[in-house]
Amino acid sequence: MSGPSSFSGAALLSDLNDFIGPSQACVLPPVSRLPSEKNTTAAPPAGGNTGMIAIEGQVDAPPTPAPPTAPADDLPLEKKVEITLADCLACSGCVTSAEAVLVNSQSTTEVLRLVETNHRLAQEGKTSEIRPICVTIAPQIAASFAARYQLASPAEARGRLAHAIRRLFGLPADVDPAEATPARIWVFDEREARRVGLAEAAAEFLHRFCAARGGPAALQGCSTVLAASVAGLPARSASGPARRAAAAAPASAGPILASACPGWTCYAEKHARAALYVPMLATTSSATRVAGALARRAVAADATARQAGRPFHVSVQMCYDKKLEAARRSGGLGDEAAPTDGGLDVDCVLTAGELDAAIRAATGPLDGLPSEQLDSLLASLGPSDCPSHPASPSNLASPASATPGSPTPGPDEDLLSDMEEDAGAGGLLEYLLRAAAYELFGLVLPFGAVAHLRRAAPTPGSRASLPLAPFTPGQTARLETRVGRNADTRDFVLLLVADADDPVEREVLTFGTAYGFRNIQNVARRVTRPARPGAGSGWDFVEMMACPGACLNGAGQLRPVDPDKPDMSPEEAALLPPPSPEAARALLRLVAELYGADAGRTPATDSDALQALTARTHAAWLAEMAWVGRAYGALFGQDAIPYGPAARAALHVRYNVIEAPKDSDPVSLASVEW
């Protein structure tokens, strides 16, 4: 494994290092034994190295000693074994994958090799064999580049990256642009895909939450297209206080655990208690995979690519474990079929560091390049031509007790771009909390509520709350955050007094965060080992991320630079010792500010201002739901809804319990401590 210096400096805050090397107990044998001919065998070579492990795509693998299991005279012939990413994904011997396993299989070298192949095929006129290249850029990546090159905003970084990527992958390095036309390269913003992925995740949460708490009767709030995911659930007889009590009761199956982080999901699948963890995992694909599915659709719909082969999707991510996620093949839920081509949503994942090194080598530093317009993943999505769709503005329900002149969706209201309030993990917790509060209890979380509470309670053990403005007279509600042992573990609790005649404040929703493997392990213990028999964990949803500080702190993000050597190449920087914790923290703060995690609105607390802000947020949410309805109609058919059959087939992933082979003796993951 490469040394720690090859990781992002932000990943090495303090003395913590959550990255675990491979092969604590690799269950795949390092030697492949061939059938011997007439029992004639070869003795092991001198030095004791009887075999080699080679990562797919690696030319010369370093020798790996393997203890002999039989006398030399009985050893058959041997050959080098190739271990692919799919093998690593199915292996139960490692907790998480390391850079040494992944970089050789997915790197800029592989993409540049395809660029050369496409150029040769174009010269030969074999256009049907060309694989068009499309690239999606994660929002955390844009913030990392903006911080590294002192750009004004992530938007500026995305524009410069679009130019650099088209130059890098448009023609082979040895071809003069004046003598050949560069190939068409599509560059997309992953945030478009995130909107679809978040809506699907919210619909899944509502479906699973209501299935455990009385079916459709659990929906006590306002209905949008997301509520359609609950319509098919069997109803249970309950009304009034009994129905509210059922909604507040913990589910016996445990909380829903986020699955967007591949480091966490691999841990969950391979743990000794995987049979308990896996059923709790959310199945909605991460934004990375959703972007892959949408990118292929967008490229296939482009006239310039209709005669070409299957698009090759490159995703620029902040985490090395995303390379492992890319190796997981698409699946579906229930009876829905997997994609007909059986291919991958993502063909190659590049980290910020890898892309930066390639851009510097090909075009020079990013801050010296011009900006270009990005392509759109949903360019064909226009005004809704499906007036009967459940999410059309005329069918979006407003609270029954809303005041006259209640807001309607406005054309300039874009919820996600107007409210980048998440902590760098992709906005999943914030979106699900907002959707659940609205659909289940008719409550609107004002702009910036979650970001405000994060800032108001930054230290371990602290608390802060924000009053809400319910539409129903007599109700009072507030959102409270409670910080655990560190800032990476905190709860967001929705408290509601539902009736003036019953003035008891009840905790109706509890969402938690656990960033970093130490915190993940503590949460995992709690959800599988309740404090008392029959008690729940107390959570309805937990956002689990392997990196401390969430995805802005990913190991693939750009490292701090030496102020005395700002033009140092990534190769030279990799030879230096890890940056100081102070420098890493300073860079992470700058990345967070640029990303927008600390730039959300501070909601007003006085009644009139809170009402006004709630009304504007309500309008934005209704507009977002109308957009979701149009998006699903355009992507999956006129009557498609979130968490419907078409969406479950295209936007979900199966997770499995991976058991260690009985003839191996791997390290028990239950015994691994962070």
Side-chain angles (χ1 to χ4, degrees):
M1 176 181 178
S2 300
S5 63
S6 61
F7 288 110
S8 162
L12 299 172
L13 292 179
S14 185
D15 294 324
L16 300 180
N17 188 346
D18 280 336
F19 300 95
I20 297 174
S23 302
Q24 290 192 59
C26 185
V27 299
L28 293 177
V31 177
S32 177
R33 296 175 179 171
L34 300 177
S36 57
E37 189 174 322
K38 295 182 180 181
N39 295 326
T40 301
T41 59
N49 292 330
T50 60
M52 301 175 70
I53 293 180
I55 307 305
E56 186 179 42
Q58 180 173 320
V59 178
D60 295 316
T64 303
T69 58
D73 293 340
D74 296 333
L75 287 175
L77 296 174
E78 297 151 356
K79 71 174 182 179
K80 183 171 66 175
V81 174
E82 289 187 348
I83 299 177
T84 67
L85 280 179
D87 294 326
C88 195
L89 191 66
C91 169
S92 64
C94 301
V95 175
T96 186
S97 299
E99 171 204 11
V101 174
L102 305 172
V103 169
N104 288 316
S105 180
Q106 297 190 33
S107 64
T108 52
T109 302
E110 297 298 316
V111 186
L112 293 175
R113 186 179 295 124
L114 177 63
V115 171
E116 295 176 356
T117 300
N118 284 347
H119 182 68
R120 175 178 53 80
L121 292 172
Q123 290 182 317
E124 296 172 357
K126 300 178 180 179
T127 55
S128 62
E129 299 180 25
I130 294 175
R131 296 195 64 183
I133 297 174
C134 54
V135 182
T136 56
I137 303 173
Q140 294 90 342
I141 291 294
S144 183
F145 273 94
R148 166 64 177 82
Y149 288 101
Q150 300 180 0
L151 303 179
S153 67
E156 181 181 352
R158 277 189 290 270
R160 293 174 187 263
L161 283 171
H163 173 85
I165 289 170
R166 287 172 180 142
R167 284 191 57 183
L168 179 64
F169 299 147
L171 282 174
D174 57 352
V175 176
D176 187 353
E179 300 178 358
T181 302
R184 171 84 157 91
I185 305 296
W186 289 260
V187 182
F188 301 112
D189 183 352
E190 189 183 272
R191 293 183 303 167
E192 290 183 279
R194 187 176 75 167
R195 295 177 71 180
V196 176
L198 290 177
E200 184 67 18
E204 180 194 0
F205 173 83
L206 291 171
H207 180 93
R208 294 172 61 171
F209 182 93
C210 293
R213 295 167 175 81
L219 291 175
Q220 297 290 293
C222 311
S223 295
T224 67
V225 66
L226 300 180
S229 65
V230 182
L233 291 173
R236 301 180 190 175
S237 58
S239 62
R243 194 160 49 182
R244 287 195 295 270
S252 58
I256 298 173
L257 305 179
S259 60
C261 173
W264 147 242
T265 55
C266 287
Y267 170 85
E269 287 183 307
K270 300 170 186 178
H271 198 280
R273 292 191 292 275
L276 298 175
Y277 297 151
V278 169
M280 299 182 191
L281 290 175
T283 60
T284 302
S285 297
S286 68
T288 305
R289 297 177 65 89
V290 174
L294 298 187
R296 295 193 192 286
R297 289 172 178 263
V299 174
D302 195 300
T304 61
R306 289 177 183 171
Q307 304 301 319
R310 187 171 183 272
F312 186 90
H313 176 223
V314 180
S315 182
V316 188
Q317 295 293 324
M318 51 283 166
C319 175
Y320 283 94
D321 276 335
K322 284 290 185 179
K323 294 175 182 282
L324 186 62
E325 180 187 22
R328 187 188 295 272
R329 291 200 173 270
S330 301
L333 298 180
D335 297 328
E336 288 77 24
T340 54
D341 57 17
L344 301 174
D345 292 317
V346 182
D347 295 283
C348 181
V349 169
L350 301 179
T351 64
E354 291 173 311
L355 181 61
D356 185 50
I359 291 175
R360 279 174 166 268
T363 64
L366 189 73
D367 53 359
L369 301 178
S371 181
E372 290 185 9
Q373 185 72 29
L374 275 71
D375 300 283
S376 174
L377 284 170
L378 299 167
S380 60
L381 181 59
S384 176
D385 55 359
C386 307
S388 62
H389 194 281
S392 64
S394 61
N395 293 324
L396 286 171
S398 296
S401 59
T403 57
S406 57
T408 56
D412 60 341
E413 297 283 5
D414 184 340
L415 179 65
L416 289 180
S417 66
D418 199 24
M419 189 177 53
E420 290 283 359
E421 62 172 320
D422 69 90
L428 183 61
L429 179 143
E430 293 81 355
Y431 194 101
L432 265 61
L433 183 57
R434 188 177 303 281
Y438 189 75
E439 301 284 342
L440 296 172
F441 305 105
L443 298 173
V444 176
L445 302 187
F447 283 138
V450 174
H452 167 71
L453 290 178
R454 289 185 190 273
R455 292 192 299 270
T459 57
S462 60
R463 293 190 178 197
S465 65
L466 181 72
L468 304 179
F471 290 108
T472 304
Q475 284 189 350
T476 60
R478 62 190 178 95
L479 181 64
E480 180 178 82
T481 187
R482 304 166 184 172
V483 185
R485 294 182 178 180
N486 54 68
D488 283 337
T489 57
R490 70 168 67 224
D491 293 345
F492 292 93
V493 184
L494 186 63
L495 300 109
L496 174 67
V497 176
D499 193 336
D501 297 332
D502 182 21
V504 178
E505 187 178 60
R506 293 184 173 88
E507 298 181 1
V508 293
L509 281 177
T510 301
F511 282 32
T513 64
Y515 304 151
F517 265 115
R518 286 185 177 89
N519 295 324
I520 280 179
Q521 189 176 52
N522 292 333
V523 169
R525 287 189 184 126
R526 180 172 161 185
V527 299
T528 57
R529 300 174 182 174
R532 61 184 186 277
S537 65
W539 288 302
D540 299 303
F541 173 83
V542 185
E543 187 172 63
M544 313 276 267
M545 297 288 164
C547 293
C551 298
L552 287 179
N553 190 23
Q557 295 282 65
L558 298 181
R559 295 162 49 90
V561 297
D562 186 340
D564 297 328
K565 300 178 180 179
D567 297 326
M568 181 181 296
S569 69
E571 292 78 7
E572 294 173 325
L575 300 177
L576 297 177
S580 67
E582 293 75 16
R585 290 191 186 96
L587 178 64
L588 183 58
R589 283 195 297 269
L590 179 57
V591 172
E593 291 171 2
L594 288 167
Y595 180 76
D598 292 331
R601 293 172 177 79
T602 300
T605 55
D606 63 275
S607 178
D608 292 341
L610 184 61
Q611 288 282 357
L613 186 57
T614 299
R616 180 159 185 257
T617 306
H618 185 206
W621 183 249
L622 293 179
E624 181 69 7
M625 293 300 99
W627 182 91
V628 168
R630 295 198 304 273
Y632 273 75
L635 293 172
F636 306 118
Q638 175 174 335
D639 298 324
I641 58 173
Y643 207 65
R648 290 199 301 271
L651 302 178
H652 287 259
V653 177
R654 292 181 183 272
Y655 295 100
N656 305 289
V657 176
I658 301 174
E659 298 180 356
K662 295 181 179 179
D663 58 351
S664 66
D665 185 23
V667 173
S668 172
L669 300 191
S671 66
V672 176
E673 299 289 341
W674 284 277

